[in-house]
Amino acid sequence: MKDTAQIQEGVRGLLPGGWSTLSNALAALLTLMAIGWAMSFQRQIGLDLYPQQFFAAMLALTLALAFLTLPFRRGINRPKAPWYDVVLALISLIAVGYIAVRYPDLVLMIFSRPPELWIPSVLIVLLTLEALRRACGWALVIIIMAFLFYALFGDLFPGRLQGRAQNWQLLAGYMAVDSNGILGLPMSVATTIVVAFIFFGVLLGVTGGTTFFTDAAMIGMGRYRGGSMKISVLASGLFGSISGSAVANVVGTGVVTIPMIKNDGYPAHKAGAIEAVASTGGQLMPPVMGAAAFLMAEFLAVPYSAIVSAALIPALLYYVSLFIQADLEAAKLGIRPVSKDQIPSGRKVLTGLHFAFAFAVLIYLLFWQRYQPERAALWAALALTITSLMIGYGGVRPSIPAVFNAFSKTGHSVVEILLISAASGFVIGVLNITGLSFNLTYLLVQVGGSSLIALLALSAIVCIVLGMGLPTLGVYVLLAALVAPALIQLGVEPIAAHLYVLYFGMMSMITPPIALAAFAAASIARAPSMATGWAAMRFGWLAYVIPVLFVFSPALIMIGTPLAIGVAILTAGLGVWLISAALAGYFSGPLSASMRILFGATGVLALIPSDAFSGAGYTDALGVVLGLALMLYDVYRRRQERLT
């Protein structure tokens, strides 16, 4: 998902005029269709459609937009859409539109493979892969081509990986028409829920909501030591939980926060690193979680609120860890609060309270009225629009044309995620039609030797490697299909298994050698990319640890008694503080090497949940007691040093 600047960059190749008008019209139509479907307008006018017909219509518009706005070679600034891209856009509209219109008949012909099905199906498969290449690069395309190769030649693979080879005409029809293929669950989520939330996010940008979040973060944190870093953490967490993209979040907030952090005397690579980690955390923080939360709810057949509840404590601990490290690093380096002239007035921020009202509407409808997520997002968007037009922010109200432009901006911004969702259908389709999902689950369990710890380690490596270079939703779908079933088979709670793969998949954003969020932040900070990546790993250390903890202790994902959950939160919070101090080398003052080791060791003991294994309660209590004693001792020692 992209922010407004990226959206404009994506269509910059089209000069003002016919092509720009056409692409904007298609983008606006895409958004309006998603809104209409979410609000069930088609039923109100008596139009009875299969969901796959709607998905196909949305895919047709998405492919056409991709070919009109994305050049054949990435990075080229072309003056207009060349003739061959116009032809590809027209073929996309015709081929996928044909599937949409004739879907009720074609879905019954998959196994008979008539030309009227497989010809448009082959075109759709090829067009989708090419559009995906233009939007996301080669990484995801190569993975999908490997899956398709397996589907065609699965009988040639050895051992447990051997599968059923499929006829190419049957495979193309299955991918293009079956509800387990391109027009399946990921497209269902993306074309309704994701579009609605992205529309809400675009409206936030249009009406000044992004500026409000940054200003509020400045007022809340700017007066404290390391205020610039804390502003980055808070603003990126707030914006990232809605934007749903780590890289877009870095670009959207990092252009403000990273220079601010550097101006306060912080090293450039660490300034980029903390922004990258804070932005990546937005993928793990409800309500949006990079759209993965909605798809996770569908996969697990549980209410969306259950996913939010499970994800909340780990995400909060993640940001608590960042805040503590930002504070300790600031104390260690002597970084002062943000200068007063940079902090906006409280009166200005108060004019933006209607943004908080829009979020209150969203939360109320989601969790109290049990609205479908897409409907809740649309009502929140309506509340945001009305209040912004009436009140504005900082004395500035959005113009009516700017609000209407949000429809086309949303359409342009969701092209990439809709293509990824369609591509996810290839993976799910191959897993279903070949039986590969069962074979991979069996193989992972075999390699893990039926040992949960070994399987967790193996899965973490697989998740990070597969996640490198892939967007959020693509990472989650791939890992939920390949890795999560193996964890569940060894007794892991289903929600814990899916959150586990999401966490480690997301950590590829800050884990070298392909750390997209860290590298984007490094470019803004003008810092070495690899140094920024390694620093980001240090700041984001908890994200590599906490998934293992909630696998062994479901209390951290809100499964258990209130007492167990409360104890788990408190001891985990203390453990986070102790380990963060050890990593920073500072608590009430600089820590010696021996004190850092003691802080780290007691932090590990406190971090281990009391219900993780037999006897863990004793190690947990020992860590808490020793950790508190170390903290008090360090404070006392520093006070004595100052007195003498």
Side-chain angles (χ1 to χ4, degrees):
M1 305 175 196
K2 307 181 183 102
D3 62 15
T4 304
Q6 289 173 298
I7 297 163
Q8 296 297 339
E9 179 69 20
V11 297
R12 191 174 62 180
L14 301 176
L15 291 178
W19 295 119
S20 180
T21 302
L22 175 61
S23 66
N24 287 336
L26 289 174
L29 178 59
L30 188 151
T31 305
L32 288 169
M33 285 178 58
I35 292 172
W37 185 266
M39 302 303 290
S40 300
F41 286 158
Q42 77 281 1
R43 294 180 183 174
Q44 297 177 24
I45 63 174
L47 191 60
D48 193 15
L49 297 173
Y50 285 88
Q52 283 71 27
Q53 290 179 279
F54 165 68
F55 304 154
M58 293 287 283
L59 180 61
L61 292 174
T62 301
L63 291 174
L65 267 174
F67 290 119
L68 289 175
T69 60
L70 301 174
F72 180 78
R73 283 187 293 178
R74 302 180 77 185
I76 292 179
N77 187 16
R78 61 189 186 184
K80 63 179 181 179
W83 66 268
Y84 53 83
D85 280 346
V86 176
V87 170
L88 290 175
L90 287 173
I91 293 174
S92 300
L93 289 171
I94 293 169
V96 191
Y98 171 79
I99 294 291
V101 172
R102 291 211 55 204
Y103 179 82
D105 299 322
L106 295 177
V107 74
L108 302 176
M109 303 178 184
I110 293 176
F111 293 98
S112 57
R113 309 191 298 275
E116 60 188 293
L117 173 60
W118 67 258
I119 290 175
S121 297
V122 169
L123 288 173
I124 291 170
V125 169
L126 296 176
L127 290 167
T128 302
L129 289 175
E130 169 58 15
L132 184 70
R133 182 194 66 80
R134 296 186 183 201
C136 305
W138 278 104
L140 190 54
V141 174
I142 291 172
I143 290 173
I144 289 171
M145 290 175 67
F147 273 90
L148 293 175
F149 179 84
Y150 178 86
L152 294 171
F153 305 104
D155 58 326
L156 302 180
F157 284 72
R160 293 298 310 179
L161 286 178
Q162 190 174 72
R164 299 187 296 270
Q166 306 298 318
N167 174 276
W168 66 272
Q169 295 169 328
L170 169 64
L171 182 64
Y174 184 85
M175 291 298 164
V177 176
D178 194 88
S179 59
N180 289 315
I182 294 174
L183 306 179
L185 183 60
M187 277 295 283
S188 172
V189 173
T191 54
T192 53
I193 300 173
V194 174
V195 173
F197 272 87
I198 295 302
F199 180 58
F200 180 56
V202 169
L203 281 173
L204 274 175
V206 168
T207 57
T210 306
T211 306
F212 165 74
F213 286 138
T214 304
D215 288 348
M218 283 190 179
I219 287 181
M221 296 294 159
R223 294 177 173 84
Y224 301 99
R225 67 184 184 189
S228 58
M229 290 178 285
K230 294 172 184 176
I231 289 166
S232 171
V233 173
L234 185 58
S236 298
L238 290 171
F239 181 63
S241 66
I242 297 297
S243 76
S245 168
V247 177
N249 196 11
V250 168
V251 174
T253 60
V255 292
V256 176
T257 59
I258 291 175
M260 188 188 305
I261 298 171
K262 288 176 63 180
N263 289 339
D264 282 347
Y266 211 55
H269 70 286
K270 289 188 176 182
I274 200 163
E275 172 61 40
V277 177
S279 294
T280 301
Q283 314 294 281
L284 310 170
M285 174 66 79
V288 178
M289 295 173 63
F294 307 115
L295 197 54
M296 195 181 297
E298 297 290 337
F299 276 149
L300 295 172
V302 299
Y304 168 70
S305 57
I307 304 299
V308 171
S309 297
L312 187 58
I313 293 174
L316 289 176
L317 287 172
Y318 178 93
Y319 278 104
V320 165
S321 169
L322 264 183
F323 262 101
I324 291 171
Q325 290 180 88
D327 181 70
L328 295 177
E329 287 280 345
K332 179 181 176 182
L333 297 174
I335 296 176
R336 297 177 178 272
V338 176
S339 61
K340 291 183 179 180
D341 59 341
Q342 289 183 277
I343 299 176
S345 68
R347 182 175 298 178
K348 177 187 176 183
V349 173
L350 285 175
T351 65
L353 287 180
H354 61 281
F355 295 118
F357 171 73
F359 276 93
V361 170
L362 175 65
I363 293 169
Y364 172 73
L365 294 178
L366 272 175
F367 299 108
W368 275 270
Q369 293 300 315
R370 303 288 182 179
Y371 271 42
Q372 292 176 321
E374 61 271 28
R375 291 198 173 194
L378 291 174
W379 283 115
L382 179 62
L384 174 65
T385 303
I386 293 173
T387 55
S388 295
L389 290 172
M390 292 173 60
I391 302 171
Y393 179 59
V396 179
R397 299 179 186 177
S399 64
I400 297 294
V403 173
F404 276 107
N405 284 340
F407 290 95
S408 60
K409 287 179 179 178
T410 300
H412 285 298
S413 66
V414 298
V415 166
E416 180 180 319
I417 199 165
L418 289 177
L419 288 173
I420 294 167
S421 300
S424 301
F426 286 114
V427 175
I428 295 172
V430 170
L431 291 174
N432 277 292
I433 200 171
T434 63
L436 178 60
S437 57
F438 174 79
N439 292 345
L440 279 173
T441 300
Y442 182 83
L443 185 63
L444 275 174
V445 173
Q446 264 195 332
V447 172
S450 298
S451 166
L452 181 56
I453 294 176
L455 184 57
L456 287 174
L458 177 64
S459 299
I461 295 170
V462 170
C463 291
I464 291 174
V465 171
L466 290 180
M468 288 180 178
L470 299 185
T472 307
L473 197 61
V475 172
Y476 172 67
V477 171
L478 194 63
L479 300 176
L482 298 180
V483 179
L487 296 174
I488 294 170
Q489 189 165 322
L490 283 188
V492 177
E493 286 280 347
I495 289 182
H498 280 254
L499 284 175
Y500 184 89
V501 300
L502 177 64
Y503 262 76
F504 277 107
M506 281 300 92
M507 285 307 97
S508 63
M509 290 289 175
I510 60 170
T511 305
I514 306 176
L516 295 183
F519 292 172
S523 67
I524 296 173
R526 297 185 178 180
S529 297
M530 293 304 289
T532 305
W534 295 123
M537 283 186 70
R538 200 203 84 184
F539 282 124
W541 67 270
L542 185 64
Y544 298 94
V545 175
I546 202 164
V548 180
L549 299 181
F550 63 61
V551 163
F552 286 101
S553 176
L556 287 172
I557 53 173
M558 295 285 199
I559 298 176
T561 65
L563 178 61
I565 294 170
V567 169
I569 294 172
L570 291 175
T571 57
L574 179 62
V576 165
W577 197 354
L578 289 164
I579 296 175
S580 296
L583 290 172
Y586 193 96
F587 185 63
S588 62
L591 295 176
S592 64
S594 58
M595 284 293 285
R596 291 179 73 171
I597 292 172
L598 288 173
F599 265 75
T602 55
V604 170
L605 292 175
L607 199 57
I608 296 172
S610 58
D611 58 344
F613 54 85
S614 178
Y618 298 107
T619 60
D620 199 28
L622 182 64
V624 169
V625 171
L626 292 180
L628 290 173
L630 275 175
M631 291 170 136
L632 292 172
Y633 171 72
D634 191 66
V635 171
Y636 172 77
R637 187 164 59 104
R638 295 302 167 192
R639 183 174 296 174
Q640 291 298 111
E641 288 177 358
R642 285 194 293 269
L643 291 175
T644 57

